[in-house]
Each structure stands twice: as structure tokens, then as C-alpha cells.
Amino acid sequence: MKLDPKALRYMSNEEFRVLTAIEIGSRNHNIVPAPLIAQLSHLRSGSINKHIGDLIKRKLIASESSSKYIGYKLVYSGYDHLALRTFSKRGSVVSVGNQIGVGKESDIFVVAGEDEQEVVLKLHRLGRQSFRNVKLKRDYFRATQSPSWMYMSRLSATKEFAFMKVLHEHGFPVPTPIDQNRHCVVMELVAAFPLRQIDRLDEPGRLYSQLMDLIVRLAKYGLIHGDFNEFNILLKDNSTPILIDFPQMVSTSHSNAEYYFNRDVDCIRTFFKRRFGYESALYPKFTAKLDKEFDLDVKVAASGFTKKDQSQLERLMEMELGGGAEHQDIKDDDDDDDDLPSDEEVVYSSDSDASRGNTGKDDSDANSTDIGDDDFIVEHDRLGNTTRRRRSR
């Protein structure tokens, strides 16, 4: 997916307030009505339509219709701009360079911070592959279900940053984490090549032992990578391996810990045999009585990425891999709205108002008005939404 930050230069504060209001309104609405956008953005309703039209032209939001009203929803390009706006204010990202990587769940770019040093910006994009499956079988989700892929991408980025930070603090060979917001992570740019691009090694046995020791060391610290393969291992000029990509990392206390551990080991054994013709009879095996040195999984949970977040993310991963399990609604309940990011400081950063308004939840009661047509009635709710329905006989 193309990342074009040029619009950031020309977007007004009011447009960002509208964009963030749609993000906040998406907590409880699949499509956000214009009256609610005006309420959350603290802008006059007369100017809302102009700002909405400009955002649609920039392809940052999309217009959709339901049976009750016309509303608007945030798309990934709009989510990108909100994250870049926050990074720009923090000084983490001031310019965007070329794209250096793309996957089914992420896009990777070279960017620069205030010190003009090149770093990496990773944008998580969960659901990119899943939507193709949804198009093939539209009845996969019930009408009341809505997979909030942007919310899950934010969870994925939060998890990756939390694990990367903890691993870096404990001396593991990972990129230095710099910043994280919404679905984006900023990290160190490592001068290394992906292992999958290496065709020949002088000492394959040495690297094989290093990687197996790294798997075991992670387990002794209470963690299993879950996707330990040639795509997620970088190799520096001195043959030092660097580990990347942590959204699938799990605790050794996970119910499927043995499966994930053995899969990581088998991935390395298979790759070395196929690519370098190297095969060793020595490889680690998972045991429930593993002598743990640290509980980094507990430390990660204490950093803010909770077990609830982990279970939601795992449920989505099963859907991504086509696990065949019965689908459950992955969008969080209304009672858990406090867990979602509002980033209201972006909306109200230049606003002097002390009040913030209400949360914008729908009220169930409505006022009915007869419009003179015996066949139809019109209902207006407190948000200004209008519903026209046929009168029951």
C-alpha cells in the first residue's frame, strides 16, 4: 500500500480534528454519521461537510450508506496520516523515504527523525489478505459482526513494540525500538541482509548453533518467537544474527507453547538443509520443566500489552491462517472503550475548550413524527440521524 505523506503539509488542524473524530466515533459505529463527527470534533456542523469532502478527495476516509443513514469510515491511508502526524509532533519522524519491505501484514519504509538519522517505520496492516477471503464468501461474517482490522493492527504494533523493548533491554539481538503510535512502530535501521537472501555460508554450523541457542535463550526468558524463520532473521557482515518481527511471540506458559517452539526449531533445520545442505542431529526440544531465568512474558504484560489483547490477536491470527474455527466478533465491546486509543490530544491540541463533550453513544429512544404520508413515518434520534420506514398495517 502506497504511503504518500505529502498531504500532511497542506492539511489543516480542522481536517485532522475531523479525521480523529471519525477514528473515535468508530469505537461504536461501523460508519460514523456527520452529526456525531461535528460533535466529537467541536466544529460547526456547517463546515463539517467541506472538511469531509476534502478528506474523501485525499482518500483518507470513505463514504458508505447503511439502511438508516450515510456515514463515513476511516481507511488505512487516513490511519497512516494520524500516526505520522503524532510522530511528527514527537520528532520521531520528520521525512519519509523509500519502501524497503512489504508483507501480507505490514509495509516497511525508511524514514528520518529530527536528528536526520535514518530509521525504519513499520506499518502493520492486518486483514489485507483476509479481506480477499471475505469477498469470496460474503456470508462469513454475520450482519452484526465487524472485524476492526485497524484496531487489531494497533494491537499488533503495540505487542511488537512491547516485546522489542523488553528484549532489547535484556541484551537480545533485536533492533533498537524508538517509538510507537497506533499501528506503526519506529525502530533502528540495521545494516544487515535477510537470511533468505544468503546463498552461501563459510560456517553454516556456527550460525545454526547461534540460532538454536537463541531459541533456547528466549525460552529460558519465558518467550517463544512463534515465527522464527529465514524471513525474520537478519545477518550482519560479521554473521551476527538479528531477530525481527514479534507479533506472533507467545509465552512459554501458552497452551500451544510446545507446538510453537518445535515449529521454530523445524523451520531453521529445514532451511539449513535445503539452502546450505547442512543437517545436524543436535537440536533443542521443548520441555515443560524448562529452567527459566526470567519471566519476560510477565514483564511484557505489565508494560500494557495484556492477556486480553493477546487472546484477541491470536483469534485474528487463526482467521488469517484459515483455522476453520467458528468466527467470533473481534471488535471489542462497548464496555471496553477505555482500552481503545482516542489520541484526543491530536484533536484538541490547539483547542482551549475545557470541556470534551460526551462519548457519542447512540440513544435507543427516538421521537417519531408523522410527515403527512399515510404509508411512511420519519424518526429522528438525538444524533440527528433520520430513518424513513414504512408504517405497519
Side-chain angles (χ1 to χ4, degrees):
M1 183 178 295
K2 185 177 180 181
L3 176 64
D4 186 5
K6 294 180 181 178
L8 285 171
R9 301 178 182 178
Y10 310 107
M11 289 179 62
S12 64
N13 290 332
E14 289 76 14
E15 287 177 312
F16 272 108
R17 291 172 68 170
V18 171
L19 195 61
T20 313
I22 295 175
E23 178 192 21
I24 298 172
S26 298
R27 295 177 179 182
N28 302 315
H29 300 76
N30 289 329
I31 55 176
V32 186
L36 180 56
I37 297 173
Q39 181 182 9
L40 292 174
S41 63
H42 288 186
L43 295 174
R44 294 180 179 178
S45 58
S47 65
I48 288 296
N49 290 334
K50 177 184 180 301
H51 295 316
I52 288 176
D54 291 340
L55 292 173
I56 291 176
K57 289 179 182 178
R58 300 182 193 275
K59 299 182 179 179
L60 304 183
I61 62 174
S63 173
E64 288 193 9
S65 301
S66 70
S67 60
K68 295 184 178 181
Y69 60 87
I70 297 176
Y72 308 91
K73 63 188 298 184
L74 196 65
V75 297
Y76 263 122
S77 57
Y79 210 38
D80 295 344
H81 278 65
L82 286 173
L84 287 174
R85 165 88 161 187
T86 303
F87 285 141
S88 177
K89 287 187 173 183
R90 295 175 181 173
S92 304
V93 176
V94 297
S95 62
V96 178
N98 297 327
Q99 184 171 0
I100 60 173
V102 61
K104 70 174 184 178
E105 296 173 355
S106 63
D107 291 325
I108 302 173
F109 293 82
V110 174
V111 298
E114 284 184 332
D115 56 1
E116 298 185 357
Q117 184 176 357
E118 290 186 342
V119 293
V120 169
L121 172 66
K122 180 176 180 179
L123 301 94
H124 291 247
R125 302 198 189 281
L126 270 66
R128 180 151 57 188
Q129 296 295 325
S130 296
F131 274 126
R132 297 178 183 177
N133 297 330
V134 172
K135 291 178 181 178
L136 293 176
K137 41 182 181 180
R138 298 293 298 180
D139 59 344
Y140 187 75
F141 297 105
R142 295 195 299 270
T144 57
Q145 294 177 328
S146 174
S148 181
W149 300 111
M150 291 183 192
Y151 170 63
M152 301 307 293
S153 294
R154 183 187 73 87
L155 277 184
S156 180
T158 302
K159 177 179 180 178
E160 177 158 44
F161 187 79
F163 276 103
M164 195 187 309
K165 186 175 181 180
V166 169
L167 290 172
H168 184 266
E169 290 173 352
H170 287 79
F172 281 86
V174 300
T176 303
I178 298 174
D179 201 358
Q180 183 262 325
N181 180 261
R182 293 178 173 88
H183 64 311
C184 301
V185 177
V186 181
M187 68 187 82
E188 172 193 10
L189 176 61
V190 180
F193 295 94
L195 182 57
R196 61 182 175 84
Q197 295 181 1
I198 306 299
D199 294 326
R200 190 179 69 85
L201 289 173
D202 294 334
E203 298 179 90
R206 180 172 174 269
L207 179 59
Y208 175 88
S209 298
Q210 287 180 315
L211 296 179
M212 291 301 176
D213 290 344
L214 185 54
I215 293 176
V216 173
R217 186 185 171 200
L218 283 169
K220 287 185 176 181
Y221 276 66
L223 298 173
I224 298 172
H225 187 276
D227 200 15
F228 199 95
N229 55 48
E230 66 272 20
F231 294 93
N232 297 324
I233 299 172
L234 305 179
L235 206 60
K236 302 178 76 172
D237 290 338
N238 59 0
S239 297
T240 301
I242 303 295
L243 193 58
I244 61 173
D245 201 17
F246 309 100
Q248 299 205 44
M249 185 166 273
V250 297
S251 168
T252 50
S253 60
H254 191 278
S255 58
N256 294 323
E258 182 175 1
Y259 166 77
Y260 289 122
F261 182 92
N262 293 336
R263 186 176 68 176
D264 284 351
V265 172
D266 289 340
C267 283
I268 297 302
R269 295 185 68 205
T270 301
F271 174 75
F272 270 74
K273 181 180 179 180
R274 183 182 69 248
R275 178 66 58 88
F276 308 117
Y278 179 85
E279 188 173 9
S280 174
L282 301 176
Y283 58 91
K285 295 182 180 180
F286 184 84
T287 172
K289 298 180 180 180
L290 189 67
D291 186 17
K292 294 174 64 174
E293 298 178 9
F294 291 95
D295 289 317
L296 293 188
D297 51 339
V298 177
K299 189 170 182 179
V300 169
S303 70
F305 189 81
T306 63
K307 289 184 177 180
K308 175 186 173 183
D309 296 335
Q310 175 68 27
S311 63
Q312 286 181 316
L313 200 53
E314 287 177 2
R315 195 162 59 200
L316 179 65
M317 291 300 182
E318 291 178 0
M319 294 166 53
E320 289 274 348
L321 296 174
E326 183 179 355
H327 174 70
Q328 301 177 22
D329 190 1
I330 63 175
K331 192 167 184 177
D332 51 309
D333 297 330
D334 292 348
D335 294 338
D336 299 322
D337 282 342
D338 292 338
D339 295 337
L340 289 176
S342 66
D343 289 292
E344 293 189 37
E345 70 276 7
V346 177
V347 183
Y348 303 108
S349 58
S350 60
D351 198 0
S352 60
D353 294 338
S355 61
R356 289 298 188 240
N358 61 37
T359 59
K361 290 188 178 181
D362 285 332
D363 294 311
S364 58
D365 53 340
N367 299 321
S368 299
T369 305
D370 197 3
I371 63 173
D373 189 338
D374 293 337
D375 294 330
F376 295 93
I377 59 174
V378 172
E379 294 180 347
H380 304 280
D381 64 19
R382 294 181 180 178
L383 293 178
N385 302 326
T386 302
T387 305
R388 185 172 183 266
R389 60 183 178 84
R390 187 177 298 276
R391 188 188 301 276
S392 59
R393 295 294 185 182

